[in-house]
Amino acid sequence: MRGNLTDEAVGAIKEGIRTKEEQVRLCGLHVQEGRFVHSFEGGSLSFQVERMPLGWVVRGTVEGRPGRLEVVRLPLRFPLLLQSWESWGACPRVDEGWRFPWGERQYEDWRYTVSLVPELMREGVVSDYLAAWEGGLAGFLTSRYAHGFFTVEGEELVGYLEFFDRVFDGPVPLEPLVVLEGGEIWDLLEVYATMAGRENRARVPAHSPLGWCSWYHYFLDLTWDDVRKNLALAKEWPFEVFQVDDAYEADIGDWLEPKEGFPPVEEMARTIREAGFTPGIWTAPFCASATSRLFREHPEWFVKEGGVPLVAFRNWGKDIHALDLSNPEVQAHLSRVFSSLRAAGYGYFKIDFLFAGAVPGERVMAVSPVEAYRMGLETIRAAVGDAFILGCGAPLLPSVGLVDGMRIGPDTTPFWDPAVPDNGAPAIQYALRNALYRSFMHRRFWLNDPDCLLLRKDRISLTEEERRTFALTAGALDGMLVVSDDLSLVDAAGRGLLDEALSLTGGRPRVGDLGGGCYEVVSEGTRSGRVRLVVNLGEEEAGGVAPHGVVLEKEEQGLGLSRRVELREGRRFTYYHREE
């Protein structure tokens, strides 16, 4: 390549690189390779800058009281792909002037679902963990002690690490930072995710379980008779997991105590297992309602503000409090609950509303909210061993390596309403948009869960095309496939839709933003060979695709092979085989 360039062209490239380096500042210094020490009031940061093929990576240690530590400043470029800190949060691609659409009472009741620094989010733009633009990306690779985020300040993008009130008596590892330049945005997202996955020793199961979930038909009206009816019908489906969602428990926080009309959790698991499925159960383990037995008997176990338990959020018509996961008694409680559920036979745990474990507040131990969150998640992982953990409503980066699957968008809905704001509220179109924009996380951080497929025609407002759009997009993205219907309402066409979605799995998807609410998914190596899916989430026809619709192209016939991926010694090995 050097031989094709004139000295003038080479000089221009070098000048471009030098200019970019001068524009990027790390702790106030122009980026350059080497070791540096940065002192701040109450502590110091020692860091090393290393050049890599597409940019730089920064590693080091920090000690003292770092508070909110500015790490990097870069020239701001739009449109900017934002990330939010937990599963449901929006990940839009925005232009200059964008502001987060706070919902009514959202700041009072749900502020921490939006951001771990909601006061900044209310004033401007915040992107958690990473921010990306065409030709560039900056992102933190871990979140073990601090929460990394980026803000827009004037014409600069500024990266911070928020350590809250944490004080370190000795040096602890800095959350590594990577700055990438020069590639297409999708390539940079893949590079970032690969690096972050390795840094956090991501758990990526070779097999994606196919399942049924009770939530999106029955919601809180679920009865034990409904469970048994669907369990009998499920025997005619290819499900592996049968998961009972919210509604079986006596109260939020009392997971081993069934509400009236449900059998003990041990009998629930036994009934599901005897029907031939892996029992799955929903919990929200890091929180409890003010009316729960857990809160009434142990108010001292909860995160406090001014010495009294703070309200982490409001839901189910109740005040919801957050468990102090740094408290050894709370850890012992979680260990007992999840060891009991595992011993009862549950092999699939959907753990929800996890962000509650990381809300700022007063805790027994002098740890950051991020450290406390990881203590809680590590406790559950230790209790359930190799069982499948699906995170939901969860801080994303601190969960890598501790969960097997992760919801990566807001709840889906049995209706399509374009008036729903893009602020993490349930909305099928934003569940799909998040699934598309966060597909770079799939099989690098965990298995992506785009949320449930809805296949029924009755008691639903989605059109046949909208149901197909969700199912085929989930399949082409190789996401987890979980059905959430009263199975007695699903006809042969609905069952065929699941089969069609399954035929698109197993590939290596790559997503492109075509503009106007249209996206392209090209996936190599699916069960149907190479496929191209154009998804229109907009309200106008675009590119020949109807609003809320999809166009599927299969460019070659598949060979009927199944893929199996094994992770050994930090490397991925892919095997293809024909199923008998």
Side-chain angles (χ1 to χ4, degrees), residues 159-444:
Y160 291 94
L161 286 172
E162 175 63 72
F163 289 88
F164 302 90
D165 296 325
R166 186 70 160 98
V167 178
F168 301 104
D169 294 331
V172 298
L174 184 71
E175 314 292 359
L177 170 75
V178 64
V179 179
L180 304 175
E181 292 273 6
E184 293 184 8
I185 191 169
W186 182 258
D187 294 326
L188 300 181
L189 289 168
E190 287 191 329
V191 169
Y192 165 79
T194 300
M195 293 180 71
R198 288 175 180 163
E199 200 79 29
N200 292 283
R201 299 183 179 180
R203 295 175 59 94
V204 183
H207 178 69
S208 184
L210 178 63
W212 181 87
C213 164
S214 63
W215 182 246
Y216 289 103
H217 182 87
Y218 296 100
F219 299 98
L220 292 175
D221 296 329
L222 183 72
T223 67
W224 180 237
D225 284 344
D226 295 327
V227 173
R228 290 190 299 182
K229 181 185 82 171
N230 282 280
L231 197 53
L233 293 169
K235 294 177 182 176
E236 304 301 319
W237 291 68
F239 300 138
E240 300 160 279
V241 171
F242 191 93
Q243 181 237 312
V244 177
D245 213 280
D246 188 6
Y248 71 89
E249 74 281 1
D251 205 339
I252 299 300
D254 300 332
W255 310 115
L256 301 181
E257 186 177 339
K259 77 177 183 184
E260 185 177 352
F262 276 83
V265 291
E266 293 84 357
E267 184 179 334
M268 283 172 46
R270 184 169 59 253
T271 303
I272 295 170
R273 189 174 60 251
E274 288 175 353
F277 303 100
T278 298
I281 193 165
W282 175 93
T283 59
F286 295 165
C287 58
S289 79
T291 57
S292 65
R293 180 190 297 273
L294 183 69
F295 183 77
R296 285 185 279 111
E297 294 182 352
H298 298 286
E300 74 281 7
W301 283 2
F302 291 82
V303 178
K304 298 178 178 60
E305 186 175 53
V308 299
L310 65 79
V311 177
F313 62 100
R314 293 183 174 85
N315 200 5
W316 300 278
K318 301 177 179 181
D319 288 346
I320 306 297
H321 301 280
L323 280 164
D324 175 1
L325 303 176
S326 75
N327 186 331
E329 292 181 5
V330 173
Q331 294 169 15
H333 159 74
L334 286 174
S335 184
R336 282 195 300 273
V337 169
F338 281 89
S339 295
S340 298
L341 292 172
R342 186 72 176 112
Y346 292 97
Y348 180 95
F349 295 88
K350 180 180 177 182
I351 52 177
D352 207 348
F353 293 86
L354 295 183
F355 74 92
V359 299
E362 300 158 10
R363 291 177 166 84
V364 168
M365 294 178 63
V367 298
S368 74
V370 174
E371 289 175 278
Y373 171 76
R374 286 181 57 84
M375 287 176 174
L377 205 50
E378 288 167 353
T379 299
I380 293 176
R381 170 51 73 190
V384 305
D386 61 356
F388 192 99
I389 295 180
L390 173 64
C392 190
L396 296 175
L397 199 52
S399 302
V400 182
L402 295 171
V403 301
D404 303 284
M406 179 65 85
R407 267 283 294 286
I408 37 74
D411 281 14
T412 189
T413 44
F415 54 85
W416 192 305
D417 182 359
V420 175
D422 183 14
N423 61 10
I428 186 173
Q429 66 270 31
Y430 297 124
L432 281 170
R433 190 278 318 275
N434 273 32
L436 289 157
Y437 271 151
R438 286 179 170 166
S439 57
F440 70 90
M441 298 176 179
H442 182 59
R443 295 198 182 278
R444 295 182 180 87

Side-chain angles (χ1 to χ4, degrees), residues 515-528:
C518 267
Y519 302 85
E520 177 189 65
V521 182
V522 176
S523 186
E524 307 274 356
T526 77
R527 290 180 170 82
S528 299

Side-chain angles (χ1 to χ4, degrees), residues 2-3 52 55 89 118 142 166 182 274 282 294 467 495 529 568:
R2 170 66 179 85
M52 53 180 287
T142 62
R166 186 70 160 98
E274 288 175 353
W282 175 93
L294 183 69
R467 297 195 300 274
R495 172 61 185 270
R568 297 199 302 272

